[in-house]
């Protein structure tokens, strides 16, 4: 008890010195703001928030729409997981503020050193209206699309409306993210590039997320796959799994390997996520396991050409309006 009381006194003293430090930091920030160099080094300086599109206390993220240098922008901010390899530093080098103490229970606000207190931030700028809609929290509806619906409704829509895949071509042509490539099979028929997805900061394996992007540019999605693509799909599965095991020590049995239908980007790619990680879009209504896709094509070469596929669409999605106009909803 005496020990506890002494610790609490220490903490009060720490809090007092915190106040002094906080004052000093405020002063430093003021003088930083007067320093043009540090301001111009922050590309988000002056961002004006228009609206918060979505936020989640559980996922600890926020999707924000606003203006950056007069251009429409979407910013995604996400607190990252606590890493085991940082615990020693967190315990030894942080400041603690006591919030409450009751019997054997105490809660604190722990203020870690700045480099352990980062917020993963993704910026889309200039953002299109489609980007804004994509991240806006909206009601979703399940749509069942037959092969004929795909050809008469979905295909014309995605040919006129889909997101640019320039970022994909930049990766394939080594104009962007070249240093992040984990593995490449350069074969133009069955080859692909494997690299970390931009949702993964690569700091911990718990939320491992890589994507394999095929070199071929003629496959938009699952719908285009036939038996002739089996060598490509088997090659991706085998080589990506081997390379993920070699580089990260994560076995194939610990990976969720899938394709999205509908994807956001109509250039064939495969998602590799840690099995323990509930990645956005890994639910049954959107994710198709690569192993199932391979088996379905082995059984029926035209499986994805003819069968009905079900997927969710948000209320503001133009494709949903097309299905409604066609009397399919
Ligand atoms: N390495 O430039 C890129 C890049 N871009 C533009 C997209 N991706 C990229 N990867 C690299 N470099 O996994 C990744 C995406 C996605 C994949 C495309 O390519 O991160 P998809 O075509 O099936 O599209 O996959 P999908 O899944 O709809 O896209 P996305 O962005 O993953 O969105 C799905 C949902 O995930 C969103 O609605 C949102 O709920 C959530 N989400 C998106 N981004 C984030 C984020 N940064 N943090 C948290 N949640 C997010």
């Amino acid at each position: 008890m005496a020990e506890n009381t002494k610790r609490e006194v220490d903490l009060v003293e720490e809090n007092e010195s915190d106040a002094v430090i906080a004052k000093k930091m405020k002063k430093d920030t003021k003088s930083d703001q007067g320093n043009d160099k540090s301001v111009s080094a922050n590309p988000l300086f002056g961002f004006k928030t228009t609206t918060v599109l979505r936020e989640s206390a559980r996922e600890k993220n926020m999707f924000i729409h606003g203006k950056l240098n007069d251009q429409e922008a979407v910013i995604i901010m996400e607190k990252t997981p606590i890493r085991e390899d940082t615990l020693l530093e967190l315990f030894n080098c942080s400041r603690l503020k006591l919030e409450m103490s009751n019997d054997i229970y105490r809660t604190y606000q722990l203020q870690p050193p700045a480099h352990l207190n980062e917020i993963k931030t993704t910026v889309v700028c200039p953002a299109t209206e489609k980007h804004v809609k994509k991240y806006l929290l909206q009601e979703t509806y399940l749509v069942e699309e037959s092969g004929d619906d795909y050809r008469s409704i979905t295909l014309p829509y995605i040919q006129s409306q889909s997101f640019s895949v320039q970022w994909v071509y930049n990766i394939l042509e080594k104009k962007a993210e070249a240093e992040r490539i984990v593995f490449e099979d350069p074969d133009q028929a069955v080859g692909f590039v494997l690299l970390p997805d931009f949702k993964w900061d690569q700091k911990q394996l718990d939320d491992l997320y890589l994507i394999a992007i095929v070199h071929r540019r003629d496959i938009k999605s699952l719908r285009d796959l036939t038996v002739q693509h089996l060598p490509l799909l088997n090659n991706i599965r085998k080589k990506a799994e081997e390379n993920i095991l070699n580089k990260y020590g994560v076995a194939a049995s610990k990976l969720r390997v899938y394709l999205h239908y509908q994807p956001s980007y109509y250039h064939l790619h495969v998602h590799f996520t840690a099995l323990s990680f509930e990645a956005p879009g890994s639910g049954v209504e959107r994710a198709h396991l690569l192993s199932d896709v391979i088996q379905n094509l082995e059984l029926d070469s035209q499986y994805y050409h003819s069968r009905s596929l079900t997927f969710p669409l948000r209320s503001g999605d133009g494709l949903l309006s097309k299905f409604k106009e066609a009397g399919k909803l």
Side-chain angles (χ1 to χ4, degrees), residues 17 209 217 231 310:
S17 62
Y209 199 146
R217 298 188 180 194
T310 301

Side-chain angles (χ1 to χ4, degrees), residues 49-325:
T49 299
T50 312
T51 178
V52 172
L53 299 168
R54 173 155 34 127
E55 62 185 309
S56 163
R58 192 174 70 86
E59 291 165 19
K60 297 179 183 59
N61 60 21
M62 186 179 268
F63 297 68
I64 308 144
H65 174 213
K67 285 221 165 165
L68 189 56
N69 304 324
D70 289 330
Q71 286 188 309
E72 297 296 328
V74 172
I75 296 186
I76 304 165
M77 302 182 91
E78 187 182 10
K79 294 231 179 173
T80 49
I82 299 164
R83 297 188 343 249
E84 191 178 343
D85 61 332
T86 64
L87 287 181
L88 191 67
E89 205 179 347
L90 273 178
F91 292 135
N92 292 345
C93 306
S94 299
R95 281 195 218 126
L96 282 180
K97 273 191 183 169
L98 181 68
E99 284 196 320
M100 76 96 186
S101 170
N102 184 349
D103 189 37
I104 59 169
Y105 306 100
R106 276 170 285 159
T107 66
Y108 298 97
Q109 279 297 332
L110 183 147
Q111 297 175 340
H115 68 281
L116 296 182
N117 196 19
E118 291 169 341
I119 296 179
K120 182 176 186 294
T121 304
T122 307
V123 181
V124 183
C125 183
T128 63
E129 203 189 325
K130 214 170 149 60
H131 285 108
V132 175
K133 280 189 183 159
K134 170 177 166 151
Y135 295 118
L136 184 66
L137 186 63
Q138 293 175 77
E139 212 169 323
T140 53
Y141 299 86
L142 272 190
V143 173
E144 195 177 315
E145 176 202 71
S146 67
D148 286 342
D149 292 337
Y150 171 70
R151 286 174 284 280
S152 64
I153 304 171
T154 310
L155 184 58
Y157 179 78
I158 60 181
Q159 279 168 340
S160 65
Q161 293 284 327
S162 54
F163 283 120
S164 161
V165 288
Q166 188 55 50
W167 68 271
V168 172
Y169 297 156
N170 289 345
I171 290 171
L172 296 176
E173 292 165 17
K174 317 287 163 18
K175 290 179 181 162
E177 302 188 54
E179 68 296 342
R180 285 160 46 90
I181 292 177
V182 169
F183 171 76
E184 177 173 16
D185 176 341
D187 188 286
Q188 291 303 302
V190 298
F192 64 97
V193 167
L194 178 72
L195 81 167
D197 191 278
F198 82 163
K199 287 204 282 292
W200 185 36
D201 65 7
Q202 302 180 69
K203 297 223 166 109
Q204 58 282 312
L205 295 175
D206 313 36
D207 58 348
L208 174 140
Y209 199 146
L210 293 112
I211 42 171
I213 302 176
V214 302
H215 274 298
R216 293 178 64 146
R217 298 188 180 194
D218 59 342
I219 314 171
K220 284 182 286 305
S221 74
L222 197 59
R223 272 286 183 210
D224 288 337
L225 293 174
T226 66
V227 73
Q228 71 152 115
H229 301 113
L230 281 175
L232 168 70
L233 300 176
N234 281 314
N235 189 47
I236 293 175
R237 181 162 66 170
K238 182 171 177 294
K239 292 191 181 149
E241 286 179 353
E242 272 169 18
N243 278 280
I244 291 174
L245 178 63
N246 289 343
K247 184 162 169 81
Y248 303 104
V250 178
S253 59
K254 292 296 212 178
L255 291 174
R256 187 187 293 106
V257 183
Y258 56 94
L259 293 88
H260 275 156
Y261 194 76
Q262 302 282 337
S264 291
Y265 304 98
Y266 289 87
H267 174 111
L268 195 78
H269 55 275
V270 180
H271 302 249
F272 291 77
T273 61
L275 189 58
S276 54
F277 173 51
E278 280 180 38
S282 59
V284 290
E285 72 279 32
R286 193 146 180 250
H288 297 251
L289 287 179
L290 179 60
S291 56
D292 286 348
V293 172
I294 290 173
Q295 285 191 56
N296 290 337
L297 290 172
E298 283 169 350
L299 288 170
D300 175 358
S301 69
Q302 295 298 307
Y303 189 92
Y304 291 102
H305 182 81
S306 50
R307 90 150 265 195
S308 286
L309 296 174
T310 301
F311 49 83
L313 287 176
R314 297 199 173 94
S315 57
D317 194 320
L319 186 55
L320 186 73
S321 314
K322 296 284 173 200
F323 270 84
K324 280 184 180 160
E325 282 166 24

Side-chain angles (χ1 to χ4, degrees), residues 37-53:
K37 210 172 147 211
S38 78
V39 169
S40 63
N42 170 7
L44 297 183
F45 184 80
F47 178 82
K48 289 192 186 74
T49 299
T50 312
T51 178
V52 172
L53 299 168

